[in-house]
Amino acid sequence: MVRQLLPVSALLLGSALLLFAGGMNSLILPIRGAQEGFSASALGLLGTGWALGYVAGCFYTPRLVGKVGHVRAFSVMSGIAAVAVLLSLLLLTPWTWIPLRAMSGFCFAGAAMIVESWLSERAEPSTRGRIFGLYTMVNLGASTAGQLVLTMGDTTGFMFFVLPAIFYCLALMPTAMSSKTVPKPLVSVRLDLMALWRNSPVAVIGVLCVGVSNSAFGTLSAVYADGIGLALTTVALFASLPVLAGAVSQIPIGWLSDRLDRRAVLIGVAVLALAVDTIFIVLSPETRMLNLVLASLFGAAIYAMYPIIIAHANDHAAADQAIQVSGGLLMLYGLGSILGPLLAGFGMETLGGTGLFMTSAGAHVLLILFSGLRILLRAPVAEADKSSFVPAPAGRATTPETAALASAESDEVDEDEEETPSPDAG
């Protein structure tokens, strides 16, 4: 395995540096914004700006790479991300931070797509599945480490704006110094709502709801934790532990979804998330340990939903359409991610901290009701027709290149098997 890792080690290092910087950047902004007196709705708009930029990056990065190449495009993305975080330090107002956050989202999506396409090209066919798993774990560890670094210094100063900028610049070095040939053109994204709806209504409604819930929590969880008086270390854990729990929970939940009706598993996970929503709304817990336990349970539920939905949609898709379906659902997830922080920020400003969980509770109720209705209307997919469950990076939207890289191992396993789409859409 070590021999297979050597060709992609530089790319994994570049991705780790990128995610390390992104982890710091994503947490310092809501914490510092709250310290500067920004309203909850303004802080929510930071998440909306990020989602807008991320979706735009998934759309336009393939065109940019086609014009200037992978190395130059990646360098531009990393450089602009560094400039954006430094400008956030110089311009401490929410109305400058929102477009700067959109710039970061655009650059982050573009850089991730380039790294992932490069990994897919460099990795040998027999090890791509393991490479994807390692890539996911490296990113998860780097992002969490970046968030926890904030506990080691003063968040009212400049250090946690300068450090991410430094690491964004370091992230471009492995690709810039690479002497290998550049990979094939990137996967283009096309959003066809009617085709997605015909393929799986549950996937369309579900991914929108999950986008609302996950983006709201990802953007404003630190604001909520800070607002109820938790210490900075606990705030960082409140934001990072759910992502770790979501990564771990995908193993047993994915196993279940491969053996049961994925819609039933999705409902069960959504019920767990709704139960935690209700506890936060009704009890408003204040103790450190209870908040961390509840946040971990919440992350274990919400960050496992997206890969279930993608797997369910791919169960109904033709074998050669899996990446297009995943890419289209990514765009819908992005639309939900644009709306979620906006609704949650307004809810927190009018109702207090519980407004965050009231927003996600509404999304989870809709998801449960609609999925239950579809179970009554359509039979489940036969187990023989199911695609493999592929874990997704918890706490971060995927890119079309993630789907291409993640599907490589299952493509190799099934290359000699004839696959036909199920006649019934879920």
Side-chain angles (χ1 to χ4, degrees), residues 306-346:
Y306 183 80
I308 295 175
I309 293 170
I310 296 298
H312 176 70
N314 285 335
D315 288 343
H316 297 286
D320 60 351
Q321 293 296 312
I323 294 177
Q324 287 82 351
V325 168
S326 297
L329 291 176
L330 168 65
M331 296 299 102
L332 287 177
Y333 181 91
L335 294 177
S337 298
I338 291 167
L339 186 60
L342 184 63
L343 293 175
F346 178 77

Side-chain angles (χ1 to χ4, degrees), residues 15-71:
S15 183
L17 293 170
L18 185 76
L19 269 292
F20 184 78
M24 278 190 284
N25 193 3
S26 66
L27 193 56
I28 187 59
L29 292 180
I31 290 176
R32 182 61 176 269
Q35 293 170 344
E36 296 290 333
F38 295 178
S39 67
S41 58
L43 293 174
L45 283 171
L46 295 180
T48 297
W50 166 267
L52 280 168
Y54 199 95
V55 170
C58 290
F59 269 118
Y60 291 109
T61 297
R63 300 183 190 178
L64 177 63
V65 171
K67 292 181 178 179
V68 303
H70 288 73
V71 174

Side-chain angles (χ1 to χ4, degrees), residues 49 74 88 129 138 148-149 175 197 205 240 248 259 317 366 393 400 418:
F74 187 88
S88 298
V138 165
L148 293 178
V149 162
T175 53
W197 180 265
I205 299 300
S240 59
V248 173
R259 286 156 179 80
L366 176 59
E418 183 179 358

Side-chain angles (χ1 to χ4, degrees), residues 182-205:
V182 296
K184 297 175 183 177
L186 273 64
V187 175
S188 297
V189 180
R190 185 172 63 91
L191 180 58
D192 187 340
L193 286 177
M194 292 308 299
L196 291 172
W197 180 265
R198 289 191 299 268
N199 182 67
S200 174
V202 164
V204 171
I205 299 300

Side-chain angles (χ1 to χ4, degrees), residues 81-312:
V83 170
V85 69
L86 290 174
L87 285 176
S88 298
L89 173 64
L90 297 177
L91 306 171
L92 289 171
T93 66
W95 309 117
T96 54
W97 277 20
I98 294 167
L100 289 173
R101 192 63 177 148
M103 287 172 54
S104 295
F106 181 92
C107 295
F108 202 91
M113 288 181 73
I114 293 168
V115 168
E116 288 164 5
S117 68
W118 222 317
L119 278 174
S120 184
E121 185 89 356
R122 293 277 186 87
E124 297 180 7
S126 61
T127 60
R128 280 178 181 163
R130 281 173 286 174
I131 292 296
F132 173 73
L134 180 61
Y135 165 75
T136 300
M137 295 311 298
V138 165
N139 285 353
L140 176 64
S143 179
T144 302
Q147 291 181 327
L148 293 178
V149 162
L150 267 70
T151 65
M152 301 179 182
D154 181 12
T155 57
T156 62
F158 63 85
M159 180 172 67
F160 294 119
F161 291 87
V162 174
L163 277 180
I166 292 173
F167 279 93
Y168 277 134
C169 292
L170 289 175
L172 65 84
M173 294 179 66
T175 53
M177 297 174 66
S178 175
S179 60
K180 303 291 185 180
T181 57
V182 296
K184 297 175 183 177
L186 273 64
V187 175
S188 297
V189 180
R190 185 172 63 91
L191 180 58
D192 187 340
L193 286 177
M194 292 308 299
L196 291 172
W197 180 265
R198 289 191 299 268
N199 182 67
S200 174
V202 164
V204 171
I205 299 300
V207 82
L208 282 169
C209 292
V210 170
V212 169
S213 171
N214 293 16
S215 63
F217 184 77
T219 300
L220 294 167
S221 58
V223 178
Y224 173 86
D226 182 67
I228 62 175
L230 298 179
L232 179 59
T233 300
T234 307
V235 171
L237 290 172
F238 191 88
S240 59
L241 284 180
V243 179
L244 292 172
V248 173
S249 71
Q250 290 183 41
I251 299 173
I253 290 174
W255 183 87
L256 277 176
S257 77
D258 282 341
R259 286 156 179 80
L260 304 175
D261 186 344
R262 294 197 204 273
R263 297 168 299 179
V265 176
L266 181 62
I267 290 174
V269 174
V271 167
L272 173 60
L274 181 60
V276 179
D277 283 323
T278 304
I279 293 173
F280 274 115
I281 293 169
V282 175
L283 300 181
S284 298
E286 297 180 357
T287 62
R288 177 181 185 271
M289 184 55 64
L290 183 55
N291 272 286
L292 292 180
V293 169
L294 289 173
S296 297
L297 285 174
F298 194 65
I302 65 172
Y303 292 132
M305 292 183 192
Y306 183 80
I308 295 175
I309 293 170
I310 296 298
H312 176 70

Side-chain angles (χ1 to χ4, degrees), residues 390-402:
V390 178
R396 172 173 80 85
T398 61
T399 74
E401 302 299 333
T402 310

